[in-house]
Amino acid sequence: MNAPQMPPDTARNPLLAEWTGPYGLPPFAEATPDRLRDAFDDALARHRAEIDAIAADATPPTFANTIEALERGGRELDRVASIFFVLAGADTSDAIEAVEREVSPLLARHANAIYLNRALYARIADLHARQGELGLDAEQTRVLDRYHTRFVRAGAALDRPKQDRLAAINERLATLGTQFGQNVLADEKSFALLLDEADLAGLPDFARHAARAAAQERGHPDKYAITLGRSACETFLQFSARRDLREKLFQAWIRRGENGGKTDNRAIIAEMVNLRAERAKILGFDSFADYRLDDQMAKTPAAVRKLLDEVWQRARARALAERDALQELVTEEGGNFPLAPWDWRYYTEKRRKAQFDLDEAELKPYFQLDSMIGAAFETARRLFGLTFTPVDVPLYHRDARAWEVKDESGGHVGLFIGDYFARSSKHSGAWKTSLRDQEKLAGDIRPLIVNVCNFTKPAAGDPALLSFEEARTLFHEFGHALHALLSDVTYPLLAGTAVPSDFVELPSQLYEHWLEVPEILRQYARHYRTGEPIPPALLDRLLAARAFNQGFATVEYTACALLDLEVHGLRDPAGLDIGEFERRELVHIRMPAEIVMRHRMPNFQHLFSGGGYAAAYYSYMWSEVLDADAFEAFAETGDPFNPAVARRLRDFIYGAGNLRDPAEAYTAFRGRLPTVDALLRKRGLDAAVPA
Ligand SMILES: [Zn+2]
């Protein structure tokens, strides 16, 4: 390759050097905000020089001097950015947030300089036009094709004035996306429901302890605090007998990003939706949704709408039946009020108890965090032969832990880092991220993978106990981690989770199924105090209740997917009032009044904190069609760990990154594409609505 060989100034900034920590970990202790900021400047300049050299190469384009050169470039920038974004998500600060605000438009500008580089695109287009004569193997052909698609979709083939406008749009979107996420976090940090002992009616011990610890962290040792983390919030809504306090908390929860003043996200949303629509138009699409879906497995908004509509009608009918049952319970108890959104979880919990004799507080002692981590590891051992050994290595926060991952013959696979507890320096939600991805181009590079969750941290000396839903989140994120850890590709572009977003949730959601496999639960769901396995009768009741409240869960999610598709399907969003839009669309889809969207627009980080799931929130349900059908491949054999099925799963899904088109990859695994039937069965929406 022809990139200039100037070594980075590692003496000045240790963050630019190759990582030499244990297992190849970065020097977190050196990663101060100032050094990170400086390292970005150096790394961006260096990558820019590499790109310019590739584009200006006087020799005719070859796969090696163009595509491989691109794949080998930007290593310093990869390193700096991966450390930085792990910190910005999981352990941020005012100083990190300031760097993030400065750097995100710089990164967008840098991406523009690459993807709108006409000389570079000419080389790629030339290679793409004569790919048949280049003697490439299947993976190289895929890499070339992906580069070509990416450049075309970014606008590399357009004229200069259009490119200039696209560049300005991309930079502005980056700034707005960063601001959006920081605003949500600011609203979360600034609120806590501070309570006295007398306000805690209905709360089980674990919730009281957690509220006590949260108050202590906030400097109120004699109080109890309910924060706006999803775990803390949902637990309170589920158990608190105080209707007034439930309402107060719920209102704060759904109004994040909608409180007026500096942290209000509504104007940001309107601007982002308009910029996205304009970008799509410049690129020749009717709307942003058309543009986005063109490179997804779903391909068109119509295909997505067909799936969502099919599920929506059934889910809505089921939710209305659930609502009627809850209202009956309210009335039976002498409540003289119509069920409100802040009542749903509370009365659902009572109904669950009455109908299935299931009590979250009775279940929780069996779902200890460490046991559930063990259950996720054991599943990976039985399916893929992986083992996990805890290692003591320096990480970025004392609550983060690491395990070395090995294969069946003892070979090093990579490092898995789990960072499970909520804290005020962490963004809400749960995600998988990478410090380094697998590849073979620059040697046998092993992945360093991070899972971040927001489980409530117990008071010192107490066990960390999860709800069944939280255990499911743990399995979900671990499924993403395995997708990255098992990756077996040569080129970084195709590694691990670098697949379309409506396919990327297949490995994660599929993994959730093993949490419900009775032999895993019998082994790992043990009482934290006695070590006794979960009683068979309780386990039966837990599994019998799987379809319980699925109307609510499906409506809460699908409404978000429908509104996302709608807002990003607008051809001309000028003058968009997002509050008005949300109200109107919810009426249009006939949203039950007792249910609020899982993510309201002003705090919908999937869509607006960056663009990861914009016009793509449907991805979870699209992937669920795949995962429900994929798990049936195991169920059909009568063995949830069937080795032959597991082998195909590893070869074509978990280990295969983006080597193949998703439909092709799925067909290679299953022999055919799925239908929606398995999903409807899984959610219990296939049968008639119960009385
Ligand atoms: Zn996911």
Side-chain angles (χ1 to χ4, degrees), residues 397-444:
H397 189 278
R398 63 183 181 284
D399 284 345
R401 294 187 278 166
W403 291 263
E404 187 189 3
V405 189
K406 290 186 176 168
D407 61 23
E408 48 272 86
S409 51
H412 176 72
V413 169
L415 198 73
F416 172 68
I417 296 167
D419 177 4
Y420 290 109
F421 294 131
R423 53 180 169 263
S424 54
S425 66
K426 198 189 260 189
H427 285 248
S428 55
W431 62 91
K432 164 261 159 194
T433 183
S434 304
L435 283 160
R436 186 173 73 193
D437 285 312
Q438 181 271 335
E439 64 161 297
K440 291 180 227 165
L441 191 62
D444 184 14

Side-chain angles (χ1 to χ4, degrees), residues 112-119 121 151-152 154-170 282-283:
N112 288 335
I114 298 171
Y115 287 101
L116 299 175
N117 185 322
R118 302 163 75 85
Y121 173 66
F151 272 75
V152 170
L158 298 179
D159 63 32
R160 184 74 70 198
K162 284 181 176 162
Q163 286 196 338
D164 288 346
R165 181 59 191 149
L166 284 177
I169 290 173
N170 293 342
I282 293 172
L283 290 163

Side-chain angles (χ1 to χ4, degrees), residues 329 333 345-355:
L329 199 54
E333 290 192 352
R345 289 176 177 80
Y346 179 70
Y347 287 96
T348 292
E349 183 59 26
K350 290 188 168 214
R351 210 180 137 220
R352 188 192 333 258
K353 213 166 171 172
Q355 207 167 325

Side-chain angles (χ1 to χ4, degrees), residues 430-432 476-477 480 504-506 508-509 512 606 613 620:
W431 62 91
K432 164 261 159 194
H476 178 103
E477 297 309 332
H480 283 308
V504 79
E505 300 301 331
L506 167 59
S508 53
Q509 292 180 171
E512 295 173 28
H606 295 77
Y613 284 81
Y620 295 94

Side-chain angles (χ1 to χ4, degrees), residues 634 637 639 641-651 669:
F634 285 92
T637 70
D639 175 6
F641 299 97
N642 183 289
V645 182
R647 186 70 238 179
R648 287 203 303 278
L649 187 62
R650 180 177 185 158
D651 287 347
F669 160 66

Side-chain angles (χ1 to χ4, degrees), residues 240-258:
S240 171
R242 285 282 298 276
R243 191 164 191 251
D244 58 330
L245 296 176
R246 291 202 307 266
E247 178 175 3
K248 205 167 162 189
L249 181 71
F250 190 80
Q251 296 289 10
W253 168 244
I254 65 168
R255 295 240 143 79
R256 289 167 300 145
E258 198 190 43

